[in-house]
């Protein structure tokens, strides 16, 4: 039995790797680091303040829906009041259905500046820029959104486009998209629906 | 935009084709009959702009073989006819394709909620008949348990009617023309009334369609629809911005289909269904542009096409976002 790390007696002598290999690797990697390929990107969306979220110069960012005047600015009621950090059933705001992971109010709403939101590092975020907060957990959606594959785009496929930030489509308190009443079903064609009459469109042979 | 450039391109193509035609037959049978017909009409005193029977319309050539002057005359006649019928200024566009564009479509089936907003957005934009009803888009409903194994179209229900969509345990697959690269419908047409444009859109010349419905039988996706009677569009709901190969009002007895809103997309706009979709599941763009959203989703998402095994090569890509 050999001790750990020791060499078998008859093993060929290990050749030491020439040092120039290590030097070569460093030399080769240096331009890559310098070019930014391996370097940490600066001003990416995960850092605040970041560059504008708008994907390109031609894009119009549609504003988030206005917040109800009855409840905003929050400071009207909460001014000077110390925030109670304890999770609890609220007496107010019963219209809010909170179904957003395991989050609670003060995970996003700021404890001190009551009209603002905050990131996990306590840096403040304006209500209108709530997307900065969303990207902290949902960073994977940013490239898709920037490319126009997540979220709705309107306008032109070639030319000016309209984009929406997260809260235009998702209720931040309950972000899952809500069901809608579907538009009426097509009128079944004559073979399936005697009341449709002979003039109805033929679908019986549209065997899919 | 490049409207004038596109038009110029079309005109150049038209002129070349016309020159070729004239080389091969200086006095064709069709031209002779046309001249004879118009002459006879003049002799018996038929008004040139009679609505009931238009000689010029009757003897009109295939759209791709019309000279620029003939196209202009045809468009003028159609605009006059439609404007009179619907009581508003209707325009008929003939903008041609761009050289650097090949259209592609993406649909995120993990987002579609089956609300049918796209169906009715399409009907309004494209002047589909309200009675009898024609829908270019059909939304099929599947049981999640079934669709997770295989999309079997026989199990898809287009007639679902719920209070709310998505219904629990159901998923949805909207289906319309797949704008195939290898379109069976085009091969089936005996009169070349339907063809594929250079930007990939399969179009129909409604004035050249004889209503044989071979294309309906040939289409594996059920995407073509026939006007069994005179289509009915309420005048106040009629969309006056039309394209000759797209959403202009169709006559009785011709086939129609989705053209990816040719009247919008040839001018750089998104199709109506893309704008109608409340969840942003519908994506549209230029397959030749590496920065387009359609290219992004093809490169980054899992995509599939319907009935890939029959080699129609659809340019309509379903994906999981």
């Amino acid at each position: 039995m050999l001790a750990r790390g020791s060499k078998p007696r008859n093993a060929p002598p290990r050749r030491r790797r020439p040092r120039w290999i290590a030097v070569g690797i460093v030399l080769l990697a240096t331009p890559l680091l310098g070019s930014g390929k391996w370097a940490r990107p600066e001003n990416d969306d995960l850092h605040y303040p970041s560059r504008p979220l708008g994907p390109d110069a031609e894009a119009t960012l549609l504003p988030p829906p206005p917040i109800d005047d009855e409840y905003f600015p929050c400071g009207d009621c909460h001014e000077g009041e110390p925030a109670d950090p304890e999770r609890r059933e609220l007496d107010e705001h019963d219209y809010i259905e909170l179904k957003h992971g395991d989050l609670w109010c003060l995970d996003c709403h700021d404890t001190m500046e009551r009209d603002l939101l905050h990131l996990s590092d306590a840096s403040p975020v304006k209500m209108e820029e709530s997307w900065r907060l969303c990207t902290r957990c949902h960073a994977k959606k940013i490239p898709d959104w920037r490319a126009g594959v997540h979220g709705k785009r309107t306008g032109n496929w070639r030319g000016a486009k309209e984009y929406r930030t997260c809260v235009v489509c998702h209720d931040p308190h309950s972000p899952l998209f809500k069901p809608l009443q579907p538009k009426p079903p097509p009128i079944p064609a004559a073979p399936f629906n005697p009341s449709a009459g002979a003039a109805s469109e033929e679908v019986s042979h549209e065997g899919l | 935009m490049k409207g004038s450039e596109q038009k110029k391109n079309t005109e150049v193509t038209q002129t070349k084709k016309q020159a070729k035609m004239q080389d091969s037959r200086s006095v064709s049978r069709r031209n002779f009959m046309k001249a004879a017909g118009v002459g006879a009409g003049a002799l018996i005193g038929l008004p040139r702009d009679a609505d009931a029977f238009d000689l010029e319309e009757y003897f009109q050539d295939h759209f791709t073989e019309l000279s620029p002057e003939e196209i202009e005359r045809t468009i003028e006649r159609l605009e006059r006819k439609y404007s009179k019928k619907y009581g508003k200024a209707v325009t008929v566009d003939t903008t041609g394709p761009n050289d650097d564009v090949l259209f592609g479509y993406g649909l995120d089936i993990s987002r579609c909620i089956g609300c049918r907003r796209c169906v009715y957005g399409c009907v309004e934009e494209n002047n589909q008949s309200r009675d009898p009803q024609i829908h270019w888009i059909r939304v099929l409903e599947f049981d999640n348990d079934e669709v997770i194994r295989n999309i079997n179209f026989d199990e898809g229900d287009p007639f679902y009617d719920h209070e709310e969509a998505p219904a629990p345990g159901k998923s949805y697959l909207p289906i319309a023309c797949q704008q195939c690269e290898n379109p069976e419908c085009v091969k089936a047409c005996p009169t070349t009334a339907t063809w594929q444009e250079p930007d990939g859109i399969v179009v129909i010349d409604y004035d050249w369609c004889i209503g044989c419905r071979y294309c309906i039988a040939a289409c594996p996706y059920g995407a073509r629809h026939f006007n069994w009677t005179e289509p009915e569009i309420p005048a106040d709901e009629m969309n006056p911005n039309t394209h000759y190969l797209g959403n202009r009002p169709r006559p009785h007895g011709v086939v129609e289909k989705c053209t990816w809103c040719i009247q919008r997309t040839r001018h750089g706009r998104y199709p109506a269904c893309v704008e109608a979709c409340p969840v942003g599941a519908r994506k549209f763009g230029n397959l030749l542009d590496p920065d387009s959203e359609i290219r992004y989703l093809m490169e980054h998402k899992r995509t599939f096409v319907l009935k890939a095994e029959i080699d129609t090569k659809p340019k309509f890509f379903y994906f999981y976002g």
Side-chain angles (χ1 to χ4, degrees):
Chain A
M1 188 104 176
L2 292 167
R4 207 173 160 193
S6 67
K7 276 201 300 185
R9 185 163 296 175
N10 296 325
R14 262 177 73 187
R15 289 179 63 191
R16 296 193 63 181
R17 288 199 187 101
R19 281 186 191 156
W20 56 263
I21 291 185
V23 174
I25 289 171
V26 169
L27 283 174
L28 280 172
T30 308
L32 279 171
L33 283 168
S35 71
K37 190 159 185 181
W38 290 352
R40 191 181 175 81
E42 284 176 16
N43 281 341
D44 67 349
D45 285 325
L46 305 182
H47 293 81
Y48 180 84
S50 65
R51 67 191 166 105
L53 190 70
D56 53 63
E58 285 183 305
T60 308
L61 216 54
L62 294 190
I67 305 167
D68 195 341
D69 287 347
E70 199 182 330
Y71 295 99
F72 195 82
C74 312
D76 286 356
C77 292
H78 290 284
E79 192 60 58
E81 188 187 336
D84 180 356
E86 195 185 329
R87 268 176 191 250
R88 63 193 187 280
E89 277 294 311
L90 295 182
D91 299 330
E92 282 290 329
H93 305 305
D94 53 356
Y95 65 101
I96 291 174
E97 188 194 20
L98 192 57
K99 273 191 181 173
H100 193 160
D102 194 28
L103 296 178
W104 190 60
C105 317
L106 299 180
D107 292 330
C108 301
H109 291 276
D110 196 65
T111 328
M112 314 298 285
E113 295 283 340
R114 307 306 296 267
D115 292 340
L116 299 178
L117 303 165
H118 67 194
L119 303 181
S120 52
D121 64 0
S123 42
V125 174
K126 287 183 200 160
M127 281 287 183
E128 307 87 71
E129 295 177 356
S130 57
W131 53 265
R132 292 184 191 279
L133 181 53
C134 309
T135 58
R136 281 302 174 109
C137 294
H138 304 284
K140 277 187 174 178
K141 292 287 173 214
I142 304 171
D144 284 359
W145 182 85
R146 197 185 284 281
V149 169
H150 180 95
K152 181 172 173 169
R153 271 182 174 188
T154 46
N156 299 278
W157 63 266
R158 175 180 271 181
K161 296 171 178 58
E162 292 164 341
Y163 290 73
R164 288 139 183 86
T165 55
C166 320
V167 291
V168 176
C169 301
H170 299 282
D171 175 354
H173 297 119
S174 174
L176 196 68
F177 207 88
K178 301 292 170 296
L180 295 172
Q181 186 180 13
K183 293 270 192 181
I187 297 166
F192 308 113
N193 180 14
S195 64
S200 283
E201 191 195 349
E202 163 188 273
V203 294
S204 61
H205 297 298
E206 292 179 354
L208 277 169
Chain B
M1 269 310 299
K2 298 182 176 174
S4 57
E5 196 185 315
Q6 287 166 345
K7 202 161 185 177
K8 205 173 144 195
N9 286 344
T10 324
E11 282 171 10
V12 170
T13 323
Q14 300 296 344
T15 321
K16 275 185 194 161
K17 279 181 179 157
Q18 187 68 12
K20 207 171 102 190
M21 293 287 295
Q22 279 170 356
D23 283 349
S24 60
R25 42 178 187 149
S26 52
V27 183
S28 69
R29 184 173 175 274
R30 176 169 297 279
N31 288 341
F32 173 76
M33 291 297 287
K34 193 192 286 181
V38 173
L43 276 178
I44 59 172
L46 274 178
R48 290 291 298 275
D49 61 347
D51 282 338
F53 184 75
D54 194 325
L55 277 173
E56 220 174 315
E57 184 181 334
Y58 188 76
F59 287 108
Q60 183 189 311
D61 226 325
H62 190 278
F63 180 70
T64 58
E65 290 168 6
L66 293 175
S67 69
E69 296 76 39
E70 283 173 321
I71 288 182
E72 203 176 307
R73 266 210 312 280
T74 305
I75 296 309
E76 208 173 283
R77 175 173 55 76
L78 289 175
E79 287 181 344
R80 203 169 52 235
K81 182 176 153 184
Y82 299 145
S83 301
K84 190 174 171 191
K85 183 171 178 185
Y86 294 100
K88 54 174 137 182
V90 178
T91 56
V92 181
D93 183 23
T94 55
T95 304
N98 260 320
D99 286 343
D100 60 344
V101 173
L102 181 67
F103 288 124
Y105 202 110
L107 200 151
D108 187 348
I109 53 168
S110 60
R111 306 229 172 265
C112 176
I113 57 169
C115 68
R116 293 203 189 94
R117 299 291 189 276
C118 51
V119 176
Y120 287 85
C122 172
V123 165
E124 284 163 25
E125 171 67 29
N126 289 297
N127 294 323
Q128 276 133 271
S129 174
R130 312 307 204 260
D131 184 26
Q133 194 182 58
I134 290 184
H135 285 176
W136 288 354
I137 305 175
R138 271 177 310 153
V139 186
L140 300 181
E141 185 182 69
F142 293 94
D143 277 329
N144 282 349
D145 298 342
E146 296 298 323
V147 81
I148 204 162
R149 284 191 286 277
N150 185 20
I151 294 175
N152 183 354
F153 291 115
D154 292 343
E155 286 160 12
D157 173 20
F159 302 116
Y160 64 88
D161 194 11
H162 309 300
E163 282 291 306
E164 283 190 337
K170 303 284 185 187
S171 49
Y172 300 87
L173 184 106
I175 180 166
C177 178
Q178 307 286 301
Q179 312 290 357
C180 307
E181 199 67 36
N182 184 19
E184 297 298 331
C185 52
V186 168
K187 291 184 214 165
C189 180
T191 63
T192 67
T194 183
W195 67 94
Q196 190 175 28
E197 288 275 284
D199 56 7
I201 304 177
V202 175
V203 294
I204 301 170
D205 183 351
Y206 308 118
D207 291 342
W208 207 248
C209 173
I210 57 169
C212 69
R213 311 195 296 284
Y214 285 11
C215 56
I216 293 183
C219 175
Y221 305 100
R224 287 178 167 252
H225 306 270
F226 187 63
N227 286 284
W228 289 94
T229 60
E230 188 69 31
E232 193 189 297
I233 312 159
D236 56 332
E237 290 176 24
M238 190 261 171
N239 175 11
N241 303 316
T242 71
H243 193 285
Y244 183 93
L245 300 172
N247 64 338
R248 70 183 168 107
R250 276 74 72 183
H252 167 206
V254 302
V255 172
E256 60 181 67
K257 64 180 279 295
C258 160
T259 61
W260 280 347
C261 288
I262 195 166
Q263 69 283 359
R264 295 164 69 104
T265 50
R266 287 251 168 111
H267 292 283
R269 295 174 66 199
Y270 281 120
C273 49
V274 170
E275 299 214 333
C277 180
V279 296
R282 290 172 169 271
K283 306 294 164 197
F284 182 81
N286 181 6
L287 288 167
L288 305 182
D289 174 8
D291 296 327
S292 66
E293 51 218 71
I294 184 74
R295 280 286 289 274
Y296 178 92
L297 74 88
M298 288 177 74
E299 285 160 21
H300 293 85
K301 303 291 173 188
R302 288 173 296 150
T303 62
F304 67 94
V305 294
L306 296 180
K307 298 192 176 179
E309 69 277 13
I310 55 174
D311 201 32
T312 47
K313 297 192 175 74
K315 289 194 292 297
F316 198 110
F317 300 91
Y318 293 87
F319 71 102
Y320 299 93

